[in-house]
C-alpha cells in the first residue's frame, strides 16, 4: 500500500514540493517560535542557577510618622549575619561625594556614578567577579584605593587598573574593575572604596544603605521574615527587604508569553497547507480516474482505494512535516548561535508538530479518498 500510495507522489514531484511547502512553513514557524522561546528561557534559568535565588537586599525605608528617610543601624550587617541560615553578608554605604577623572572637571558632572563604601565580603556575597585588577582587601580598604563598577569604568573612560580618579578632594588609585553584576546593577554604576577609608578620608557616617545577604535555600523565607526585626529592632517597619532575583524569575516564567500570536500564525499556515494538500488530492483524483477505474475493475475494493489516497495524503503531509521540523530546528540553531544561547528544541514541539501534520494529512485526504472510492469503474474507464 505504501508503494501504491507513493506512486502518485513520484509521478508529480513538482506538485508534491509545492503542496508540502505550506505544511513545512507552518511546522517550521511553530518549531522556531517554541525553540527560540525555550532557548531564551534556558539561558535565563542558567543565569539564575549561577547567580542564585537566595539573596535578599535590605535597605532603609521611610518613617511612617514623619515621612523622612531613615537609616539602618551601623550594627545591622553583623546582626543580620547572626540569623540562623544566613551564610554571607555584604554591605554598602552611600558617600556624599562624586567621582571625576580630575579636579578640573566640575563636581556637578557626576556621570550618574555613585561613590559607595563597601565591606570586603561584598564581592563574594554578590557572586560578582573582577574583570581586571583586584578587589579591596584589609590593606587597600584603609587607603585611597577604589574599585570601579563595569558601567562606571566605561563612563570614566578607564579600561585598566593603575589610573587615578578624584573623589572628595583627593586622588584615589583604581585597583580593580568589576564585571557585570546582574543582581545588583547599582554596583555596576558605582565607585567602591573601603569601609575604613570612606570613614577616615571621606566623612562616611558608617550607616549602611544596602545590606546584601545570602542564606540557605530552605531558609530564605524564614530569614526574610526575621530581617526587619533583627536589622532595626526599634523600627522594623522602616526596613525594606527585596529579592533582586525576582525579576529574572518572572522573566523566565513568562518567557514565550508573547509567542502565542506567532504560534497562531504558524497554525494558520499549517491549516492553509492542509487545504493545499486537500486541493492537490482532489485534482489527483480527477486526473487519475482511469487508474482508479482500472484498479476497481481488477478487483480493488472501495476500502483499498480509500486507503490508497489517504496514504498518499499522509505521505505528502509527512514529508512537509519533516521538512518543517528540519527548517525550524535550523532556524533555532542559527538564532541561538547568533545570540549565544543554548540550543533547545522541546521534544513535545517536534512530536506535537509532526502529529499535527499527520492529523491534517488524514483529514485532507478523507474527502478525496471517499470520492475516489465511489467512482464507478465503468464510468471511470469511459471518462478516460
Amino acid at each position: 500500500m505504501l508503494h501504491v500510495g507513493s506512486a502518485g507522489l513520484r509521478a508529480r514531484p513538482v506538485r508534491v514540493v509545492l503542496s508540502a511547502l505550506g505544511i513545512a512553513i507552518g511546522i517550521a514557524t511553530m518549531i522556531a517560535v517554541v525553540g527560540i522561546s525555550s532557548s531564551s528561557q534556558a539561558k535565563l534559568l542558567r543565569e539564575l542557577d549561577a547567580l542564585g535565588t537566595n539573596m535578599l537586599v535590605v535597605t532603609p525605608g521611610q518613617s511612617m510618622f514623619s515621612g523622612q528617610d531613615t537609616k539602618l543601624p551601623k550594627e545591622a550587617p553583623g546582626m543580620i549575619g547572626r540569623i540562623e541560615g544566613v551564610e554571607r553578608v555584604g554591605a554598602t554605604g552611600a558617600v556624599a561625594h562624586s567621582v571625576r577623572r580630575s579636579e578640573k572637571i566640575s563636581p556637578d558632572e557626576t556621570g550618574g556614578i555613585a561613590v559607595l563604601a563597601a565591606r570586603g565580603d561584598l564581592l563574594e556575597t554578590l557572586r560578582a567577579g573582577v574583570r581586571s585588577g583586584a578587589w579591596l582587601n584589609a590593606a587597600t580598604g584603609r587607603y585611597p584605593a577604589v574599585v570601579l563598577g563595569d558601567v562606571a569604568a566605561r563612563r570614566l573612560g578607564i579600561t585598566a587598573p593603575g589610573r587615578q580618579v578624584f573623589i572628595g578632594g583627593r586622588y584615589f588609585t583604581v585597583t580593580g574593575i568589576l564585571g557585570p553584576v546582574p543582581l545588583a546593577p547599582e554596583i555596576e554604576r558605582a565607585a567602591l572604596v573601603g569601609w575604613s577609608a570612606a570613614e577616615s578620608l571621606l566623612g562616611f557616617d558608617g550607616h549602611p544603605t544596602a545590606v546584601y545577604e545570602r542564606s540557605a535555600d530552605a531558609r530564605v523565607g524564614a530569614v526574610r521574615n526575621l530581617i526587619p526585626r533583627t536589622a532595626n529592632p526599634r523600627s522594623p517597619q522602616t526596613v525594606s527587604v527585596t529579592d533582586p532575583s525576582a525579576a529574572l524569575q518572572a522573566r523566565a516564567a513568562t518567557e514565550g508569553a508573547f509567542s502565542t500570536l506567532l504560534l497562531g500564525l504558524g497554525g494558520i499556515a499549517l491549516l492553509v497547507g492542509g487545504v493545499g494538500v486537500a486541493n492537490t488530492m482532489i485534482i489527483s483524483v480527477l486526473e487519475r480516474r482511469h487508474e482508479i477505474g482500472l484498479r476497481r475493475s481488477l478487483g480493488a475494493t472501495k476500502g483499498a482505494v480509500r486507503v490508497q489516497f489517504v496514504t498518499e495524503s499522509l505521505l505528502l503531509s509527512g514529508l512537509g512535516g519533516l521538512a518543517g521540523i528540519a527548517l525550524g530546528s535550523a532556524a533555532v540553531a542559527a538564532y541561538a548561535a547568533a545570540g549565544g544561547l543554548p540550543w533547545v528544541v522541546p521534544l513535545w514541539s517536534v512530536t506535537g508538530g509532526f502529529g499535527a501534520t499527520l492529523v491534517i494529512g488524514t483529514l485532507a485526504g478523507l474527502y478525496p479518498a471517499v470520492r475516489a472510492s465511489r467512482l464507478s469503474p465503468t464510468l471511470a474507464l469511459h471518462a478516460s
Side-chain angles (χ1 to χ4, degrees), residues 6-21 316 319:
S6 62
L9 303 183
R10 296 195 303 270
R12 302 168 180 82
V14 176
R15 184 183 297 177
V16 168
V17 171
L18 295 177
S19 299
L21 187 60
L316 182 56
L319 290 173

Side-chain angles (χ1 to χ4, degrees), residues 51-381:
L51 298 173
T53 58
N54 59 344
M55 189 177 85
L56 299 175
V57 181
V58 185
T59 55
Q62 292 182 333
S63 172
M64 297 179 60
F65 304 102
S66 64
Q68 297 180 347
D69 294 335
T70 61
K71 291 184 178 181
L72 290 174
K74 296 180 180 180
E75 303 81 10
M79 296 169 69
I80 292 174
R82 288 191 287 270
I83 298 176
E84 182 182 358
V86 173
E87 298 174 345
R88 293 188 179 280
V89 176
T92 60
V95 179
H97 290 286
S98 61
V99 55
R100 294 169 284 163
R101 285 291 299 272
S102 72
E103 75 275 12
K104 297 180 180 180
I105 299 176
S106 171
D108 297 330
E109 297 182 12
T110 63
I113 303 172
V115 179
L116 298 176
R119 289 167 56 110
D121 46 7
L122 176 67
L123 199 66
E124 293 182 353
T125 304
L126 296 176
R127 292 184 183 175
V130 179
R131 191 179 68 196
S132 59
W135 175 243
L136 300 168
N137 54 40
T140 57
R142 298 195 303 267
Y143 295 98
V146 61
V147 174
L148 299 178
D150 181 49
V151 176
R154 290 201 304 268
R155 291 178 180 177
L156 290 170
I158 295 176
T159 58
R163 303 289 296 275
Q164 289 189 322
V165 293
F166 194 74
I167 304 175
R170 65 184 306 160
Y171 280 97
F172 280 65
T173 301
V174 177
T175 61
I177 299 175
L178 299 180
V181 189
L183 292 185
E186 64 277 7
I187 301 298
E188 298 178 350
R189 299 186 293 272
L192 304 165
V193 297
W195 202 270
S196 299
E199 290 179 323
S200 60
L201 302 177
L202 301 176
F204 174 52
D205 61 6
H207 289 275
T209 52
V211 180
Y212 304 87
E213 72 81 28
R214 283 193 184 271
S215 52
D217 292 335
R219 293 282 301 170
V220 173
V223 169
R224 183 168 189 160
N225 293 330
L226 291 172
I227 282 178
R229 296 190 297 272
T230 305
N232 193 350
R234 294 183 177 180
S235 302
Q237 69 278 3
T238 63
V239 178
S240 175
V241 184
T242 58
D243 180 359
S245 68
L248 282 177
Q249 294 181 61
R251 283 179 58 193
T254 59
E255 187 67 44
F258 296 104
S259 63
T260 304
L261 176 61
L262 293 177
L263 279 175
L265 293 176
I268 292 173
L270 192 58
L271 290 176
V272 171
V275 172
V277 170
N279 183 59
T280 298
M281 296 306 302
I282 291 174
I283 295 175
S284 180
V285 169
L286 294 176
E287 291 180 344
R288 296 160 64 188
R289 284 179 297 176
H290 177 73
E291 173 192 332
I292 296 169
L294 184 59
R295 289 200 65 208
R296 292 281 283 115
S297 65
L298 293 176
T301 62
K302 291 183 178 181
V305 174
R306 284 196 294 268
V307 172
Q308 173 191 349
F309 281 91
V310 169
T311 300
E312 186 172 330
S313 178
L314 280 171
L315 289 173
L316 182 56
S317 300
L319 290 173
L322 291 175
I325 290 171
L327 289 174
S329 300
V332 175
Y335 181 85
L341 304 176
W343 180 74
V344 179
V345 176
L347 181 61
W348 65 264
S349 65
V350 175
T351 56
F354 189 69
T357 62
L358 297 182
V359 171
I360 287 179
T362 302
L363 295 176
L366 278 178
Y367 172 71
V370 171
R371 181 170 179 175
S373 67
R374 290 179 178 177
L375 286 176
S376 168
T378 305
L379 293 177
L381 289 171

